Amino acid sequence: MKTLIFATSNQGKATSLKRHLASVGVPVTVEARPLELIEPQADTALEVALSKARQAFALLSQPVIVDDSAFHITALGGFPGPYIKYMLSTLGIEGIMAFMKGQKDRTAYFESHLVYIDEQGNEHVSSDAPYTGVIAQSSDSYSHPDEWSPLWRIFIPEWTTKTISQLTDSERMEHAKEVSASDAYMQFAEWYQSAGE
C-alpha cells in the first residue's frame, strides 16, 4: 500500500485525511511525520502552508502534504486567524472563552489549506470555503479521539447544535460529503484519486 507523508504531529489530521481518501476509493497509508519546520509570521494560513510544505519537501526530498488552518472570530476582528496555534498554546480555549464573555456576536469560522508537493516539486493547493459556526457558551469537556484541536470543544458548526467534539464520525463524514466542493480535505482526496498519484 502506498504511503503519503503528512508533515504534522497531529494524528487527528492524518486520520481525517486517510478517512477522506478511503471515501473516494484511494487505499493509502497516511503517515503523520513531525518535522522541525519554521512557522513563518504571515497574514494568511495559505502563506504559512506553502512555506511549511516547501520546507518539508526540501527536508524529505519526496512527496509530502502539509495543512495549515486559521480560526477567525468575528467579535475579535478576525483574531486569532493564522495565529491560533500560538494562542491555544499560551491562553488555551479558556482564554478564548474569556475574550468571548459578554459578546453577543459569537460567529466564527475555520479555514484550511492543504499543500501537496509531488516528486517533481509541483505544488497542488486545496483550500476550503470558510467553515462557519458559533462559539458555544461553555466548553465541552469531551475530547474526541480524532480531535485536531481543543477548538472542537467550543465550536458549533452552523448546520448543527452540537460542538464538533460531540458529533459522531458518520455525522462529520456525511456533512463532508455534502460540502465536498468546499472542503479542503475532500477536494484533495478527489484530486489525488483523479490524478492517480
Side-chain angles (χ1 to χ4, degrees), residues 4-22 28-34 37 39 45-46 48-50 52-53 65-71 81-86 88 110-115 126 128 144-152 164 169 172-173 183-186 188-189:
L4 177 60
I5 305 299
F6 197 155
T8 183
S9 59
N10 190 323
Q11 190 58 52
K13 289 185 177 185
T15 300
S16 182
L17 182 59
K18 183 176 181 180
R19 189 179 295 121
H20 279 81
L21 287 162
V28 64
T29 298
V30 179
E31 179 188 331
R33 188 175 298 181
L37 304 176
E39 185 96 13
L46 178 56
V48 175
L50 284 164
K52 289 165 71 174
I65 190 165
V66 167
D67 169 37
D68 202 80
S69 303
F71 186 62
Y83 303 106
I84 188 59
K85 186 175 180 180
Y86 179 73
L88 287 172
F110 284 101
E111 60 170 321
S112 287
H113 303 278
L114 289 173
V115 178
S126 300
D128 61 16
H144 193 280
D146 291 345
E147 183 176 280
W148 295 8
S149 163
L151 293 170
W152 279 31
I164 299 175
D169 291 341
R172 287 199 317 278
M173 282 307 294
D183 179 88
Y185 278 60
M186 202 64 182
F188 174 76

Side-chain angles (χ1 to χ4, degrees), residues 28-98:
V28 64
T29 298
V30 179
E31 179 188 331
R33 188 175 298 181
L35 298 173
E36 291 293 323
L37 304 176
I38 296 168
E39 185 96 13
Q41 296 296 305
D43 293 331
T44 69
L46 178 56
E47 291 173 271
V48 175
L50 284 164
S51 172
K52 289 165 71 174
R54 291 165 185 159
Q55 292 176 61
F57 183 73
L59 285 170
L60 300 174
S61 299
Q62 68 182 91
V64 65
I65 190 165
V66 167
D67 169 37
D68 202 80
S69 303
F71 186 62
H72 302 271
I73 302 171
T74 304
L76 303 180
F79 183 78
Y83 303 106
I84 188 59
K85 186 175 180 180
Y86 179 73
M87 184 175 188
L88 287 172
S89 69
T90 55
L91 300 176
I93 55 173
E94 298 80 12
I96 293 175
M97 297 308 284

Side-chain angles (χ1 to χ4, degrees), residues 57 116-123:
F57 183 73
Y116 172 73
I117 301 183
D118 67 20
E119 291 176 355
Q120 290 75 41
N122 299 312
E123 298 172 357

Side-chain angles (χ1 to χ4, degrees), residues 101-139:
K101 191 172 182 178
Q103 296 286 353
K104 292 181 181 177
D105 184 353
R106 303 186 74 81
T107 57
Y109 68 91
F110 284 101
E111 60 170 321
S112 287
H113 303 278
L114 289 173
V115 178
Y116 172 73
I117 301 183
D118 67 20
E119 291 176 355
Q120 290 75 41
N122 299 312
E123 298 172 357
H124 177 80
V125 177
S126 300
S127 298
D128 61 16
Y131 187 59
T132 57
V134 296
I135 295 176
Q137 293 293 332
S138 60
S139 173

